[in-house]
Amino acid sequence: EQHGDIFRVPSENYFLINELYDKRMEEIPQLKEKLRSAKKLESFKKIPSYRVSRHFNGQLRKYQEAGFQWLYFLREYNLSGCLADDMGLGKTIQTLALIQRDWHLGIQRPVLLVCPTSVVSNWQKESARFTPDLPVMVHHGIARRKGEEFRREARKQAMVISSYALLHRDFETLKDIPWCGLVLDETQNIKNPETKQAKAARGFQADYRLSLTGTPVE
């Protein structure tokens, strides 16, 4: 699938790619990564017990720890997923634990976190509480950085928080970053695939994609 300059291979095509394997495919970076993940999946037995970073400032409950390990499994295999938990069950804390682990394993590339405008400040507060040592940037408001200034600053961050309102409006600025991950909170905001926001969300380059929602049916 081609979205502008970005070439994407849906994760459900992993095994098809493996069957059609040709050495020339390894010359395409995106396909090389998919082939690596497909080979790992062939020998998959169970989700490993990933440890929460010692720098994480909090204690996960048992079900949150299980959720975190599932999220990190998806991340390690370059898969995408949807974490559907009721409100208040800890989707935010599980996601922050995922980002924290990556950062302290030396995978220091930014994650783009997109959420409704009403919860931008909540993500900022929760990050300051549970992952205080992670560099976090809020891309929102009239004074937000744009163009090269934004790209230069974004590359230094563990997480860039933005809103659905800016997903399409600032697409040209946001799309040039090779994001480590794309996390969409309250994903029912883009349930209609024909909207400009939904189309923009599919046009970003990211190693993994996560959908967080309390209303999975929507």
Side-chain angles (χ1 to χ4, degrees), residues 157-168:
Q157 310 302 317
M159 179 168 66
V160 175
I161 305 170
S162 193
S163 66
Y164 285 105
L166 297 179
L167 205 55
H168 171 68

Side-chain angles (χ1 to χ4, degrees), residues 136-176:
V136 173
M137 171 182 168
V138 174
H139 179 71
H140 197 258
I142 298 171
R144 67 186 182 277
R145 295 180 177 93
K146 294 183 182 179
E148 189 52 43
E149 184 188 1
F150 167 80
R151 288 186 279 270
R152 187 171 56 250
E153 287 303 311
R155 287 187 177 96
K156 302 174 187 174
Q157 310 302 317
M159 179 168 66
V160 175
I161 305 170
S162 193
S163 66
Y164 285 105
L166 297 179
L167 205 55
H168 171 68
R169 199 180 308 165
D170 285 6
F171 180 74
E172 290 303 317
T173 294
L174 297 168
K175 78 176 180 64
D176 289 335

Side-chain angles (χ1 to χ4, degrees), residues 96-206:
L96 289 172
L98 165 76
I99 297 170
Q100 176 91 63
R101 178 180 164 89
D102 254 3
W103 189 260
H104 285 102
L105 285 176
I107 307 169
Q108 298 190 346
R109 288 167 50 220
V111 169
L112 177 60
L113 185 290
V114 183
C115 61
T117 303
S118 58
V119 295
V120 167
S121 60
N122 183 65
W123 272 96
Q124 194 176 13
K125 286 174 189 171
E126 294 293 88
S127 177
R129 177 184 172 190
F130 294 108
T131 55
D133 61 327
L134 290 187
V136 173
M137 171 182 168
V138 174
H139 179 71
H140 197 258
I142 298 171
R144 67 186 182 277
R145 295 180 177 93
K146 294 183 182 179
E148 189 52 43
E149 184 188 1
F150 167 80
R151 288 186 279 270
R152 187 171 56 250
E153 287 303 311
R155 287 187 177 96
K156 302 174 187 174
Q157 310 302 317
M159 179 168 66
V160 175
I161 305 170
S162 193
S163 66
Y164 285 105
L166 297 179
L167 205 55
H168 171 68
R169 199 180 308 165
D170 285 6
F171 180 74
E172 290 303 317
T173 294
L174 297 168
K175 78 176 180 64
D176 289 335
I177 304 291
W179 300 103
C180 183
L182 174 65
V183 180
L184 302 175
D185 188 23
E186 303 293 347
T187 326
Q188 65 274 11
N189 279 271
I190 56 166
K191 62 185 177 183
N192 182 351
E194 297 307 314
T195 62
K196 290 179 180 178
Q197 291 178 342
K199 288 177 180 176
R202 296 197 295 274
F204 292 111
Q205 182 181 342

